[in-house]
Amino acid sequence: MERMFSGKVAIVTGGGSGIGQATAILYAANGASVVVSDIDERGGHHTLATIIGHGGKAIFVKADVSNPHDCEHLVSETLKAFSKLDIAFNNAGIGGESNPTADVSIEGWNKIISVNLSSVFYCMKYQIPAMLANGKGAIVNMASILGSVGFANSIGYVAAKHGVIGASQNAALEYSAKGIRINSVGPGFINTPLLTNAGMDDNTKQYLAKMHPIGRLGEPNEVAELVVWLSSDKASFVTGSYYPVDGGYLAQ
Ligand code: NAP
């Protein structure tokens, strides 16, 4: 039986950990050739080894998505390896500085905006011409539930994720008629290293879990399933949309 992504080429940024890793593995399991990208070479190579170990096709390209040259290089390496680009999941991101607005450092603000928002623009800027040359494509950008509501002590993260939703809608207006569908996803709190890296202990995670009507944190593969569907031809009429995957968080 033909697999969903047979013959397709997919880029995943932040593919070395958490949601990006789960999605890269799921793309590959469905037949895609995957370009795993991350700033963290160890994580990226771990994802690569997992995919290849299961008989999939993948390469690793190191990129810091807050650097436009790295984003351009990521696309050119993809074209060099696989000659085309069909799918991109612009997922890499960080939690950033946690402080009330007046105490957030200028450096902290600039960092989160460049890693979590400017990166999405840089990636799309170089991915879209490759997809136009291919005649079609699908882009999924990583937002968050915090792309549509606030969360105290997180102004940079919240602003960046609101920006990702708007940027995705805007690009969708420009390119949907040219065959490129562009959507964003909004996970609730997902059990990944990002939470631990943001200094959250088990008590904090339990507190966060209770904020979701479903009563627990999400798992990376529960986000990956949505991203894979949005990336596939099954979502052929879906573009310019924002999809929460949040255990009911935004229903409150
Ligand atoms: P994760 O497990 O920390 O994975 C993120 C990956 O991105 C890591 O390998 C990280 O490397 C990498 N990365 C960080 N900065 C980068 C940069 N400048 N360039 C390229 N790669 C970079 O986090 P995750 O939870 O899967 O998060 C993935 C995305 O989902 C993020 O955009 C996040 O905002 C979003 N999200 C997460 C949650 C959640 O609760 N986990 C909820 C909603 C949305 P290092 O480990 O070296 O930093």
Side-chain angles (χ1 to χ4, degrees), residues 3-20:
R3 289 184 294 170
M4 191 166 26
F5 297 132
S6 287
K8 305 263 188 195
V9 178
I11 287 175
V12 180
T13 69
S17 179
I19 299 166

Side-chain angles (χ1 to χ4, degrees), residues 14-20 38-40 63-66 91-94 115-116 142-145 157 161 187-195 197:
S17 179
I19 299 166
D38 207 289
I39 201 169
D40 172 19
D64 173 352
V65 290
S66 67
N91 157 78
I94 55 173
V115 177
N116 283 16
M142 175 52 87
S144 163
I145 46 172
Y157 190 92
K161 294 303 189 183
F189 286 90
I190 308 297
N191 195 12
T192 73
L194 182 137
L195 299 189
N197 292 342

Side-chain angles (χ1 to χ4, degrees), residues 9 17 21 25 39 56 59 61 75 84 105 134 138 146 166 176 179 186 194 203 208 224 229:
V9 178
S17 179
Q21 181 172 71
I25 291 169
I39 201 169
I59 59 167
V61 178
V75 174
K84 64 170 186 156
S105 67
N134 188 35
L146 305 185
S176 293
L194 182 137
N203 284 342
L208 286 176
W229 180 77

